Amino acid sequence: AQRVTQPEKLLSVFKGAPVELKCNYSYSGSPELFWYVQYSRQRLQLLLRHISRESIKGFTADLNKGETSFHLKKPFAQEEDSAMYYCALRAGTYKYIFGTGTRLKVLA
Amino acid sequence: NAGVTQTPKFRILKIGQSMTLQCTQDMNHNYMYWYRQDPGMGLKLIYYSVGAGITDKGEVPNGYNVSRSTTEDFPLRLELAAPSQTSVYFCASSSGGGARNEQFFGPGTRLTVL
């Protein structure tokens, strides 16, 4: 079965604390994974993709095929990081499977 | 550039009514997509198009129709609205279908069917 699981609906952390948003996937092929973010009153936008191995706004995500995970991490959370975060799996040329999302709240 | 625009922002329909959700992009993207997001769920692909005149079904196409007469526009039609179609609808576009081609999303249309 093709599936993306984000186990936490809500994650609250204090400013300056480390953040880890969890994402696990189920896919028989070679996975391509993404993190999308939706800030308040803004549209969904791409944050990062695993094939680029990039760090965006201080966030990184490493694909762990053994654990079938693609967790999003940031060492020091900022208030402006508060948003909804969606993990997505590309399971075909046009087919993307999205997780249910995690709301991150960074407390002052 | 406006990017991907959707109209309307909100709509309430009665059961059995029909409506068209409009989607337009000004980035000259060939690929366009319609997703729905039910409360507490992830996005699910309804239909997609790889160019003008070419459309195909996604994961949840029942109850919907699409057309793509121009590169810019990709309207989604609901013929007989049902309560199960209450959802937030997102349109997206990309320059290609591969993983390196970022999907750009519209702001969404919140539809309630009563």
Side-chain angles (χ1 to χ4, degrees):
Chain A
Q2 300 166 345
R3 187 170 54 244
V4 172
T5 303
Q6 293 181 251
E8 302 138 330
K9 279 192 183 327
L10 172 65
L11 182 65
S12 296
V13 301
F14 284 101
K15 178 180 169 183
V19 172
E20 182 178 67
L21 298 165
K22 291 185 167 50
C23 172
N24 288 91
Y25 67 91
S26 173
Y27 184 58
S28 57
S30 185
E32 293 174 3
L33 288 142
F34 307 80
W35 277 99
Y36 280 83
V37 61
Q38 187 170 28
Y39 300 103
S40 178
R41 301 183 197 282
Q42 294 186 31
R43 57 190 67 190
L44 199 61
Q45 58 187 285
L46 179 68
L47 180 62
L48 55 80
R49 63 196 106 189
H50 95 271
I51 56 172
S52 300
R53 295 185 169 277
E54 56 208 340
S55 172
I56 304 291
K57 298 185 179 182
F59 284 98
T60 59
D62 290 318
L63 177 61
N64 185 323
K65 291 186 179 180
E67 295 182 358
T68 60
S69 68
F70 188 57
H71 302 329
L72 184 68
K73 299 177 184 178
K74 185 170 183 177
F76 307 104
Q78 303 298 314
E79 287 181 75
E80 55 265 29
D81 296 328
S82 295
M84 277 294 291
Y85 291 81
Y86 295 93
C87 182
L89 164 71
R90 182 168 173 261
T93 305
Y94 314 110
K95 184 179 180 181
Y96 287 77
I97 298 172
F98 285 79
T100 52
T102 298
R103 181 171 298 281
L104 174 65
K105 278 191 177 179
V106 181
L107 308 170
Chain B
N1 284 354
V4 179
T5 57
Q6 292 181 240
T7 56
K9 284 192 169 60
F10 305 94
R11 185 72 186 269
I12 298 175
L13 284 181
K14 294 183 179 177
I15 294 172
Q17 286 185 319
S18 62
M19 78 163 293
T20 299
L21 282 67
Q22 302 291 348
C23 175
T24 300
Q25 52 92 9
D26 61 3
M27 296 175 282
N28 201 32
H29 285 167
N30 283 324
Y31 294 69
M32 295 187 75
Y33 314 82
W34 273 107
Y35 292 92
R36 60 177 284 173
Q37 184 179 30
D38 299 335
M41 306 293 286
L43 279 71
K44 292 191 176 178
L45 184 64
I46 305 172
Y47 270 95
Y48 65 92
S49 168
V50 301
I54 307 169
T55 63
D56 209 345
K57 296 177 181 178
E59 191 180 354
V60 289
N62 290 347
Y64 306 94
N65 279 301
V66 293
S67 59
R68 185 96 182 271
S69 56
T70 66
T71 299
E72 295 78 19
D73 300 307
F74 190 41
L76 178 72
R77 178 89 179 155
L78 283 72
E79 290 294 349
L80 291 169
S84 60
Q85 294 177 305
T86 293
S87 193
V88 180
Y89 292 83
F90 292 98
C91 181
S93 73
S94 67
S95 56
R100 294 191 182 277
N101 294 288
E102 177 182 349
Q103 289 194 23
F104 292 85
F105 283 84
T109 294
R110 187 175 295 274
L111 176 66
T112 302
V113 182
L114 301 174

